[in-house]
Amino acid sequence: MTTRTRLSHLQQLEAESIYILREVAAQFERPALLFSGGKDSITLVHLALKAFRPGRFPFPLVHIDTGHNFQEALDFRDRLAQKIGEKLIVRYVQDSIDQGKAVEEKGKFPSRNGIQTVTLLDTIAEFKFDACIGGARRDEEKARAKERVFSVRDEFGGWDPKLQRPELWNIYNGKIHVGENVRVFPISNWTELDVWEYIKAENIELPSLYFSHRRQIVWRENLIFPVSEFVTLDSGDQVEERTVRFRTVGDMTCTAAVESEANSLDDIIREIQTSRTTERGSRLDDKRSEAAMEERKRGGYF
Amino acid sequence: MDLLRFITAGSVDDGKSTLIGRLLYDSKSVFQDQLEAIERAGQVNGQVNLALLTDGLKAEREQGITIDVAYKYFSTPKRKFIIADAPGHVQYTRNMVTGASNVDLAIILVDARKGVIEQTYRHSYIVSLLRIPYIVVCVNKMDLVEFSQNRFEEIKAEYLRFAAELGIKEIEFIPISALNGDNVVDPSQGMPWWKGNTLLGYLEEINIESDESKQETRFPVQYVIRPQTEEFHDYRGYAGQIRSGIFRRGDEISVLPSGLKSRIKSIDTHEGSVEEAFAPMSVTILLEDEIDIGRGDMIVLSGSPPIVSQDLEADICWMDTKALVPGNKYLLRQTTGSVKSAVREISFRIETQTHEKVEVSQLGLNEIGRIKIRTAKPIAFDKYSKNRGTGSFVLVDEGTNNTVGAGMISGS
């Protein structure tokens, strides 16, 4: 009998991510999995099933709802949580605004993406979460490329890229002081294409926003924005209908669509393989300055 | 499709970030919006500054140096790659060790004008200490020495003399110009004398068939799965990632450090039970007997046990501003276990340039030395030279919770 003893790259990434999820379960008292209903956090949930079944998840799913999310992503989120029978906690940016803790952005393209940090930090404090698992990947953005798998945040949620703990072999050090928390990124080493190939290989269900559909849009700074009650139209804005899909799904005010006919996972994988722009190329929040992501992360953003 | 993880090491200004930028750019792994972003940031000598593709922090872009490891990803039709772009500065040695700890291959950059310098010795020493299996030395900036074959051969001979002392076996040499792209992805026009591979060609073709699965079997228990539901009332699964070797259903196993024996009843995955599993798969193992096992214990095949001891000798890379002094106590984290430990002695410090063993009373930040350490309870381990997974550990300062040392076990 010959034994095949080499894993494909997707199997290697999967084994590593499961290992990281189990480290979180073993090292922390009160972890949480941040779950938005987007493809990366859906992949995380799938990996958690592999890591902990037939047992329960040792953490709840937590969503920070900006109030400007796609209804379809929210419905999907609720259905998935119910289907797997795990606990879902939702906290609302609107509540932080009503309590005067967060202030709605002004200016030309106001977004709630930035102020969700306020609600996230309050939620961490409310439940005393000591670890928050997230679906961020290092290939998304250059500041993310610097992030450790176990990323220690101070009591204000802040990240100091110059003082990161050395992270050696696959020994993760989750020891923290009271009030600090660790952001954990089990799919750090995955690329956008890896996620899509994995979704296909594992037959993972996604919200249909990721597949091509007809939608009312406006053009802004060469990006396609979905028309919604949260986007204020200027007098010069021309509403058009286009066939689009989303590569990334976040707050409706900063998530742009791409023109695409890709209607199946195979089409999407082909499209990404030949794409000349990154996933975050369609995120207006990252284009605000050269160090936009780094500065948000220093301030406690995911 | 398989996966190759590699690190790039080299002194400041040897062109590491430019080389990575070039690899990404010429293999068409740079996206339009990334290119536009670095174009907005300005040009160097009339060219787009490819180094900006890797320096992700504001402070790095301001100072033009790499402070921390950046991970970059690209793929060709043949292979997927993960690059750990590590800093060259002595003061960031700990970050280089971080990047080097889990790669299969190291690229060491040498400036053709300067030849082998102190940092080359230092980086090569770390690469050999961490037992990275493959090294490729890229002699960079060949355009600045008129693409001289003699100069290339000179540097190669010098490096080989030095490497012989380190016991590095697999070394490849490639003359390149990262700035212009010679021999990085495309063959060089300026060096018709070079009949060897391009760097990318080498990275694509090198055989990285892992030998992890051929090593002694080791399974550190990470987490115990006990659903306690009606359906799985008696289910007690030991979850973890196989560190080395192959496990099969029915295998006779020992649990260390207790030494208790049992047999493998089942190897579970989410898709169901499997007959066998090998490193680095994450699985759940069920045993025939009810024995007391928890996180930090190691399941091994009977007949090939690791060392079980409270005393260990190790090479250590010190990573904290507060020096390592004999008598200090730390939390020692090895595989999934955690145990209190005390440093008994510092045998010597290594001069990374000359390999000289220097007698010292303490180890400072970024210094490397040999220590003896005693743990509060026996632990199971292998020598690092036999098993990178079970022979490595980190020391954690219980006051600050920082990871302060990276250890490679050399004996008990």
Side-chain angles (χ1 to χ4, degrees), chain B residues 171-190:
Chain B
I171 310 180
E172 187 74 27
F173 294 84
I174 303 175
I176 64 164
S177 162
L179 193 63
N180 302 319
D182 293 79
N183 290 335
V184 178
V185 171
D186 303 311
S188 168
Q189 300 296 312

Side-chain angles (χ1 to χ4, degrees), chain A residues 3-4 9 15-16 19 23 27 50 145-146 165 167 169 172-173 177 189 194 276 278 294-295, chain B residues 5 31-33 58 60 68 71 73 80 101-102 222 271 276 278 282 295 333 384 401 403:
Chain A
T3 305
R4 199 185 150 273
H9 84 279
E16 179 180 272
Y19 173 81
E23 279 303 289
Q27 290 197 38
K50 294 203 174 205
K146 295 277 173 181
R165 283 181 187 170
E167 195 158 83
W169 299 286
Y172 297 106
N173 172 10
H177 296 289
N189 283 329
D194 293 330
R276 298 296 300 137
T278 62
E294 181 180 340
E295 272 153 20
Chain B
R5 298 176 195 239
F31 295 105
Q32 200 58 42
D33 50 322
K58 218 169 153 185
E60 293 178 321
D68 205 342
Y71 294 89
Y73 305 80
K80 289 248 178 189
S101 66
N102 43 22
Q222 215 188 338
E271 287 72 38
E276 60 180 28
F278 52 87
S282 281
R295 177 172 165 85
R333 297 214 48 192
Y384 188 77
N401 288 333
T403 303

Side-chain angles (χ1 to χ4, degrees), chain A residues 1-27 46 49-58 137-143 145-148 150 159 161-177 180 188-194 197 202 247 272-282 287 290-292 294-295 298, chain B residues 1-3 5 28 30-35 37 40-41 52-61 63 66-73 75 80 82 85 92 94-95 97-98 101-102 130 208-210 213-214 222-223 225-227 229 232 235 239-241 243 246 248 270-271 276 278-284 295 319 331 333-336 384 388 392-394 396 398-403 405-408:
Chain A
M1 185 179 75
T2 54
T3 305
R4 199 185 150 273
T5 55
R6 181 135 186 103
L7 298 179
S8 72
H9 84 279
L10 282 181
Q11 289 169 324
Q12 283 186 57
L13 292 173
E14 179 194 74
E16 179 180 272
S17 302
I18 292 172
Y19 173 81
I20 293 164
L21 285 169
R22 287 170 172 170
E23 279 303 289
V24 176
Q27 290 197 38
H46 186 79
L49 290 168
K50 294 203 174 205
F52 302 110
R53 288 294 187 251
R56 309 275 309 186
F57 287 8
R137 307 185 319 266
R138 286 171 176 154
D139 79 321
E140 281 179 66
E141 209 278 340
K142 55 189 179 301
K146 295 277 173 181
E147 183 110 41
R148 299 280 194 258
F150 271 39
W159 178 66
K162 279 191 178 179
L163 284 178
Q164 299 200 81
R165 283 181 187 170
E167 195 158 83
L168 297 128
W169 299 286
N170 55 357
I171 307 175
Y172 297 106
N173 172 10
K175 281 190 80 69
I176 48 171
H177 296 289
E180 295 176 334
S188 282
N189 283 329
W190 299 45
T191 62
E192 183 188 14
L193 186 59
D194 293 330
E197 286 178 340
E202 297 285 316
R247 276 176 87 177
I272 290 164
Q273 277 169 334
T274 54
S275 169
R276 298 296 300 137
T277 54
T278 62
E279 180 182 334
R280 293 204 86 90
S282 59
K287 296 202 163 178
E290 179 67 17
E294 181 180 340
E295 272 153 20
R298 281 172 180 273
Chain B
M1 179 89 85
D2 61 15
L3 187 62
R5 298 176 195 239
K28 310 206 166 29
V30 182
F31 295 105
Q32 200 58 42
D33 50 322
Q34 290 173 318
L35 260 188
R40 274 200 302 274
L52 289 180
L53 286 171
T54 62
D55 286 337
L57 301 176
K58 218 169 153 185
E60 293 178 321
R61 290 190 293 274
Q63 296 172 41
T66 307
I67 291 169
D68 205 342
V69 190
Y71 294 89
K72 289 283 155 188
Y73 305 80
S75 59
K80 289 248 178 189
I82 300 180
D85 174 23
Y92 302 118
R94 61 179 200 160
N95 293 341
V97 175
T98 289
S101 66
N102 43 22
L130 285 156
I208 46 159
E209 190 66 45
S210 141
S213 57
K214 297 183 189 76
Q222 215 188 338
Y223 184 76
I225 295 179
R226 289 188 62 200
T229 55
F232 297 98
Y235 191 98
Q241 186 171 22
R243 209 48 67 89
I246 305 174
R248 295 188 174 86
H270 189 56
E271 287 72 38
E276 60 180 28
F278 52 87
M281 289 167 71
S282 281
V283 296
T284 304
R295 177 172 165 85
M319 303 179 146
L331 199 64
R333 297 214 48 192
Q334 177 245 1
T335 69
T336 54
Y384 188 77
R388 284 168 88 184
S392 52
F393 64 86
V394 302
V396 175
E398 289 196 276
T400 62
N401 288 333
N402 284 332
T403 303
M408 289 141 278

Side-chain angles (χ1 to χ4, degrees), chain B residues 14 21 25 34 47 70 79 88 115 134 147 155 160 167 169 176-177 205 226 249 251 259 300 361 375 386:
Chain B
D14 278 351
Y25 185 77
Q34 290 173 318
Q47 292 198 28
R79 196 166 258 177
Y134 304 96
F147 299 111
I155 290 170
L160 283 173
K169 289 194 190 82
I176 64 164
S177 162
E205 284 159 29
R226 289 188 62 200
R249 195 163 61 89
D251 276 346
V300 306
S361 57
T375 55
K386 290 182 86 179

Side-chain angles (χ1 to χ4, degrees), chain B residues 111-123:
Chain B
D111 185 328
R113 295 167 304 174
K114 296 178 192 158
V116 178
I117 58 167
E118 188 187 335
Q119 283 293 75
T120 320
Y121 291 120
R122 191 176 174 80
H123 292 149

